[in-house]
Amino acid sequence: MKSYKTLLDENRAWAEDTFKKIDKKMSEMTLRSRDKIPDGVDKDGFHVDRMQTNPNWWCNGFWGGLNYMLYAYTKNEEYLKTANRSEELMDKALANYDKLDHDLGFLWHLMSGANYKITGDKKSRTRNFFCAATLASRYVMDGGFIRAWNWNSARDYSIIDCLMNLPLLYWASDEIGDDRYKKIAMAHADMSILDHLREDGSVVHIVEHDRETAEVRATHGGQGIAVGSSWSRGQAWALYGFTISYIHTGEERYLNAAKQVANYFIANCCDDWLPRIDFRAPAEPVYYDATAGACAACGLIELAKRLPENEGGMYMNAAMNILRAMTEKFVDWNPENDHMLGYGSVRYPVPGTYTEEQAGVHISIIYGDYFYTEAVLKLLGAEFFAW
């Protein structure tokens, strides 16, 4: 196996060419959608403004975060203007405390946290600290987990997605020199290893806990096809999430967990490198989720960088195969629409429960564009790290 550095060098020209296309498309999209908070596109290929229907939707930080990430690399002021506008619009969501949940990292750390890291903006720092304190307050002490959603039936739920929100807590501890936020993040990550990670490297999407004893009461299928299935974006959340916890803590157990999930992910999409929505779903019909591939590629690249060169080469090779396959099959480079990475899927269309339309199958989703762009920038050696 070639080392990850060799693979980076060999794919440099591809990454440069791909980013030029991203930048060209995004240069148009950032102007068209400056006053929107998009999470997807309509039938004509233009961004739908989620701020009009749900200001607290968990995806609403990715657009601002994407523009801050692009500004950090290109220094194009138009990206900064859109990112600033997005953050300003999202103050409406920040004012509604009852609707804030476990996704505060997605909502603000990728946006306000990014702004503070890039520009030193004090208002953004305050936003991020408010969100960090709110996320920490969701920690169920005896149960050892951060509670997921706000509805009563979910009061004892943790979800694998939350691993990707822990960077907000790591940041807060680093920023003020107090480890209390970091300890909550690590406790939740440790619980995820015990309760969400299976022996084969697959993960459970939703775990229902006994909040007094910390025992697992039940597991739930969530956005996969069924209980006991393997929702691919959940795998990607775990792969990248455990890697990020390792980056912030240096604890080997998180690195080992990330490798375990990565090996499972690679084994289940290495036929054509296009991840299905659920790795344990029937072979037909074929349902893809490009957002899982984009997020997993980010995690695989970061994982490769933290391992000996030759071992890291396996993960870099997988990341490149996923990115190249999705670029060929799923990306629209036409700058006259807002559809970039296609074939994202919200959940598996369980027969008799969700139609393909209800499940959001094979659509353009903003976090797909975010992670796809992030992965390509990693290949180019971009220094900014939002997480």
Side-chain angles (χ1 to χ4, degrees), residues 11 20 28 50 68 101 109 118 132 144 162 164 183 198 200 284 287 293-294 302 316 335 346 363 366 384:
N11 287 282
K20 286 179 182 178
E28 298 294 331
R50 177 63 79 162
Y68 278 126
D101 60 19
H109 188 53
I118 296 167
C162 197
M164 294 296 294
K183 286 185 174 180
R198 302 183 183 115
D200 66 355
E284 297 290 340
Y287 294 123
E302 289 296 335
M316 184 65 74
V346 175
I363 60 175
I366 192 63
F384 176 70

Side-chain angles (χ1 to χ4, degrees), residues 30-104:
T30 197
L31 298 176
R32 279 196 298 267
S33 297
R34 179 159 292 165
D35 293 317
K36 294 180 180 179
I37 301 292
D39 74 333
V41 300
D42 61 21
K43 61 181 177 62
D44 296 317
F46 295 103
H47 281 148
V48 176
D49 187 6
R50 177 63 79 162
M51 184 57 69
Q52 301 302 317
T53 57
N54 189 351
N56 290 81
W57 185 236
W58 74 274
C59 303
N60 287 359
F62 283 100
W63 176 241
L66 174 57
N67 278 275
Y68 278 126
M69 180 166 56
L70 285 165
Y71 170 70
Y73 189 76
T74 67
K75 304 306 178 186
N76 181 343
E77 293 287 332
E78 298 301 331
Y79 291 135
L80 181 62
K81 290 175 185 177
T82 299
N84 287 164
R85 177 59 175 155
S86 185
E87 195 174 355
E88 175 187 300
L89 290 169
M90 283 293 289
D91 278 344
K92 180 180 179 181
L94 198 59
N96 195 339
Y97 182 84
D98 290 340
K99 291 189 176 182
L100 302 179
D101 60 19
H102 63 282
D103 278 327
L104 287 157

Side-chain angles (χ1 to χ4, degrees), residues 8 10-27 29 66 70 73-74 79 294 297 301 319-335 340-341 368-380:
L8 274 177
E10 290 180 352
N11 287 282
R12 177 79 188 191
W14 179 88
E16 289 175 346
D17 180 65
T18 302
F19 183 73
K20 286 179 182 178
K21 295 174 182 176
I22 292 173
D23 189 31
K24 180 178 180 180
K25 176 136 190 166
M26 278 296 304
S27 294
M29 290 164 63
L66 174 57
L70 285 165
Y73 189 76
T74 67
Y79 291 135
I301 294 168
M320 285 307 316
N321 284 331
I322 291 169
L323 290 171
R324 282 179 172 272
M326 295 200 309
T327 301
E328 180 181 349
K329 298 289 186 180
F330 296 156
V331 176
D332 182 342
W333 294 125
N334 181 1
M340 191 155 65
L341 181 65
D369 290 348
Y370 181 96
F371 286 111
Y372 178 74
T373 301
E374 182 185 0
V376 173
L377 286 173
K378 287 181 188 300
L379 297 176
L380 295 175

Side-chain angles (χ1 to χ4, degrees), residues 235-355:
Q235 301 298 140
W237 294 147
L239 194 171
Y240 199 8
F242 283 129
T243 302
I244 291 169
S245 279
Y246 173 71
I247 291 169
H248 283 285
T249 68
E251 293 292 334
E252 290 289 326
R253 61 186 180 274
Y254 302 139
L255 179 65
N256 291 334
K259 288 168 64 176
Q260 192 176 350
V261 178
N263 293 343
Y264 177 88
F265 195 99
I266 292 169
N268 279 276
C269 70
C270 65
D271 55 345
D272 60 5
W273 300 104
L274 300 172
R276 277 50 169 180
I277 299 175
D278 195 311
F279 290 137
R280 292 180 178 163
E284 297 290 340
V286 175
Y287 294 123
Y288 299 106
D289 184 8
T291 70
C295 179
C298 290
L300 290 165
I301 294 168
E302 289 296 335
L303 186 56
K305 289 158 56 178
R306 267 89 189 165
L307 295 169
E309 282 192 33
N310 289 336
E311 183 182 6
M314 180 180 75
Y315 300 107
M316 184 65 74
N317 183 63
M320 285 307 316
N321 284 331
I322 291 169
L323 290 171
R324 282 179 172 272
M326 295 200 309
T327 301
E328 180 181 349
K329 298 289 186 180
F330 296 156
V331 176
D332 182 342
W333 294 125
N334 181 1
E336 295 183 3
N337 64 51
D338 299 329
H339 176 102
M340 191 155 65
L341 181 65
Y343 280 79
S345 295
V346 175
R347 66 185 310 141
Y348 195 91
V350 180
T353 304
Y354 298 101
T355 65

